[in-house]
Amino acid sequence: PAFGLFLFTIARDPLRIIILIAGAFFWLVSLLLSSLIWFIAVKASDPRDERLQKGLLIFGVMFSVLLQEAFRFLYYKLLRKAIEGLVALSEDGCSPISIQQMAYVAGVGFGLMSGAFSMINLLADALGPGTVGIHGDSQLYFLTSAFMTMVLIFLHTFWGILFFHGCEHRRWWEIAAVVVMHLTVSGSSFCNPLYVGSLVPSYMLMAAAAAWAYLLSGGSAQNLRRFLLCK
Amino acid sequence: MITFMNNSDSEEEPCNERTSLMSAGSPPVPSYQDGLQASEAGEVQAHRKRRAGSSRGPNNTAGGEMSGSGVPVRESAPENEEEELTLKYGAKHVIMLFVPVTLCMIVVVATIKSVRFYTEKNGQLIYTPFSEDTPSVGQRLLNSVLNTIIMISVIIVMTVFLVLLYKYRCYKFIHGWLILSSLMLLFLFTYIYLGEVLKTYNVAMDYPTLFLVIWNFGAVGMICIHWKGPLQLQQAYLIMISALMALVFIKYLPEWSAWVILGAISIYDLMAVLCPKGPLRMLVETAQERNEPIFPALIYSSAMMWTVGMAKPDTAARGPSQQTWDAAEDGREHHRSPSHADSQMSETRGPVPTRPVTSLEELEEEERGVKLGLGDFIFYSVLVGKAAATASGDWNTTLACFVAILIGLCLTLLLLAVFKKALPALPISITFGLIFYFSTDNLVRPFMDTLASHQLYI
């Protein structure tokens, strides 16, 4: 579905593609830094201590989430500057792309990169022979991974919109809400073999974020009804 | 097939000849993109300014000066338009370059992942004589550095040779050299490639069919690249050729040497294009002095400048067609593959000295294609292909390198729009690519693997 989003909404406009790739790049850099920190922490600690390792992993995940949001903020700053540049250069004084579209595209960029990194090795292995969950792990590993990745990509998209909106209107509580949601989703993935604990809250959060983002982007229940009834 | 490849020296000799030609070709090329565009942009701006009645040089900085006097206001309007046109075209051109680079990389990665042949070590090029099978790390490092030095010096010698040939107008020699190179590339390498792919998928093909297929492919390729043909077909051929060349490099360069060579080549590119005495810069300047298009041979062009509906078609068309042919001939030397669009371009630029106003008007309205050297394609693909072949983190690393290279390309094009002169396209992208490759392979991979094994999501 995320790829479909990309095809239908982004592939047409070259500027959006550039913003998308740049968003993916920023996510990548944040991942790099967070894994650097994690790596250092692991090397500095005792590899045999299971609980410590798990604790470090959790720390790594949280830190990574915080870094991702920080980079989203940095990207927002960059895009603001870019918009000013585009406005100054355009003929009629308004930029060819609005900040909301940029927010959307940036969110998709983050999401795609995050999803790709989470999923792609899995997909490559899935092409080969083997049985899922032969060692007593869940049999639904692939399916749940796929769903989780999808929900994460969508969430990144919505968070992008919410985050940028919060930055635009200086509503810090929106930004904080995004960060908290991200932490919650990542945290919920900790109880992962117990899929109910992670998938269900994530989907609910996604629905909530979707509705919020939709309202923020100017939609309303009326628009929705009109769209659905094809008026 | 195996014995064929193992006649290393005799077969490799011609291969290596070509390889060196091509490598020699590669660094010069990146500048052409910018050189060409810069010279066009320069011309266009100059003419626009002349028409707008101002006497300012092609300098876009003063856009916002709405000073009191009438002249600057009038000047700034065309300049703003100019800049805006540049940027509007900028985003589009970036995408026009993204697509072929992506395609080339996809082809290379797909081949590397599926065909075993290109990851087996079956010998080395003559230009990298030191083997890397040594037991100690220090020795291996030393060998790879020596290999790099040899390779880079070969490239430098070839480039200087090329510049000299161009300066002394030995067009026929260049012409012949280039035809030979592209012949070999189109036929020999394609034959090997096709053979390996068929072997991998266990598809049988008899020799007559093979001969027919390769003959058609090669002949159409030669025509398309060196003469006229539909733009898309030519672009497709250029991409295929770059991919084939990159595959050859990936196979025959030993590991550490490949990385060191990539780094060294981007430094060389930087110096050769920007230093005043650099061979590439001299090449660009000579070509600009002679008002000829620079080596259409090794450049990928993303758009054609058709002079559609030109005021005086016949005489104008005939004049430049001579120039086109000449340009195509110089193009040969640079191998990689003449971008046909450039010969078309020379058609449009042909009338420039005779009828500046009309042709340039058309020029402004049409899209300015961006040109990127094929050497850049090749080295980008080598980087991504090596990442795909040797990284244990597999797809993550490949993806990371891919994004890094695209961002580098974006930045380079941005700088091009700002500086408007010949810029090397390799350094930024390759630097990003290298950084991301090494860091993703060593840092991110353990992290992601651990996360994936616990099925945690960040």
Side-chain angles (χ1 to χ4, degrees), chain B residues 32 36 44 54 67 85-86 113 122 126 170 187 197 199 248 255 262 283 304 308 329 342 355 357 400 404 433:
Chain B
Y32 300 141
L36 209 44
V44 171
S54 76
S67 57
L85 264 178
T86 310
K113 286 289 183 189
N122 257 348
I126 239 183
C170 311
F187 288 105
V197 170
K199 239 195 258 178
V248 167
E255 301 238 354
L262 274 175
L283 201 58
M304 289 236 262
V308 188
E329 309 205 336
D342 292 279
R355 250 176 298 269
V357 179

Side-chain angles (χ1 to χ4, degrees), chain A:
Chain A
F3 198 56
L5 259 184
F6 168 71
L7 276 180
F8 286 128
T9 54
I10 297 184
R12 299 293 159 81
D13 189 4
L15 200 52
R16 294 187 200 170
I17 296 188
I18 298 180
I19 301 181
L20 182 90
I21 303 272
F25 180 69
F26 271 77
W27 187 88
L28 201 59
V29 175
S30 85
L31 179 67
L32 204 71
L33 287 177
S34 51
S35 53
L36 178 66
I37 306 278
W38 179 79
F39 193 72
I40 295 178
V42 166
K43 284 296 177 200
S45 71
D46 178 15
R48 281 177 303 270
D49 188 353
E50 277 294 325
R51 290 209 48 198
L52 181 59
Q53 293 298 318
K54 189 117 209 262
L56 273 181
L57 198 60
I58 296 184
F59 162 69
V61 169
M62 295 300 163
F63 190 72
S64 170
V65 167
L66 291 173
L67 259 183
Q68 277 179 43
E69 298 303 325
F71 269 84
R72 213 197 288 271
F73 183 66
L74 281 175
Y75 194 41
Y76 164 74
K77 285 265 177 233
L78 184 69
L79 283 180
R80 288 281 311 169
K81 284 215 190 104
I83 266 203
E84 283 162 22
L86 281 175
V87 167
L89 289 173
S90 74
E91 289 176 330
D92 43 3
C94 64
S95 95
I97 186 169
S98 75
I99 188 78
Q100 284 125 343
Q101 286 179 348
M102 278 193 180
Y104 166 68
V105 176
V108 176
F110 268 57
L112 273 181
M113 205 58 190
S114 145
F117 261 66
S118 312
M119 232 3 228
I120 206 154
N121 274 332
L122 224 57
L123 284 175
D125 285 336
L127 281 178
T131 317
V132 183
I134 202 168
H135 282 256
D137 296 314
S138 159
Q139 277 183 326
L140 299 168
Y141 189 71
F142 284 142
L143 270 179
T144 45
S145 303
F147 277 114
M148 193 69 190
T149 312
M150 186 176 83
V151 83
L152 206 60
I153 298 181
F154 281 148
L155 273 173
H156 268 291
T157 315
F158 300 135
W159 286 334
I161 301 181
L162 293 173
F163 194 89
F164 278 40
H165 186 257
C167 289
E168 281 285 312
H169 299 261
R170 303 236 173 273
R171 292 196 201 149
W172 304 117
W173 60 274
E174 278 188 16
I175 300 177
V178 170
V179 178
V180 165
M181 263 200 275
H182 198 167
L183 281 173
T184 321
V185 170
S186 293
S188 73
S189 69
F190 283 137
C191 42
N192 238 345
L194 185 66
Y195 289 123
V196 181
S198 67
L199 276 181
V200 173
S202 310
Y203 270 93
M204 292 194 327
L205 272 178
M206 181 185 88
W212 193 1
Y214 184 65
L215 287 173
L216 276 184
S217 317
S220 65
Q222 261 187 348
N223 275 348
L224 195 58
R225 214 176 306 147
R226 252 189 277 155
F227 168 71
L228 284 176
L229 298 178
C230 281
K231 287 246 181 77

Side-chain angles (χ1 to χ4, degrees), chain B residues 69 78 134 147 183 254 262 301 307 313 315 322 374:
Chain B
S69 68
T134 56
N147 276 343
L183 258 177
L262 274 175
S301 161
T307 45
T315 44
Q322 264 311 329
L374 283 190

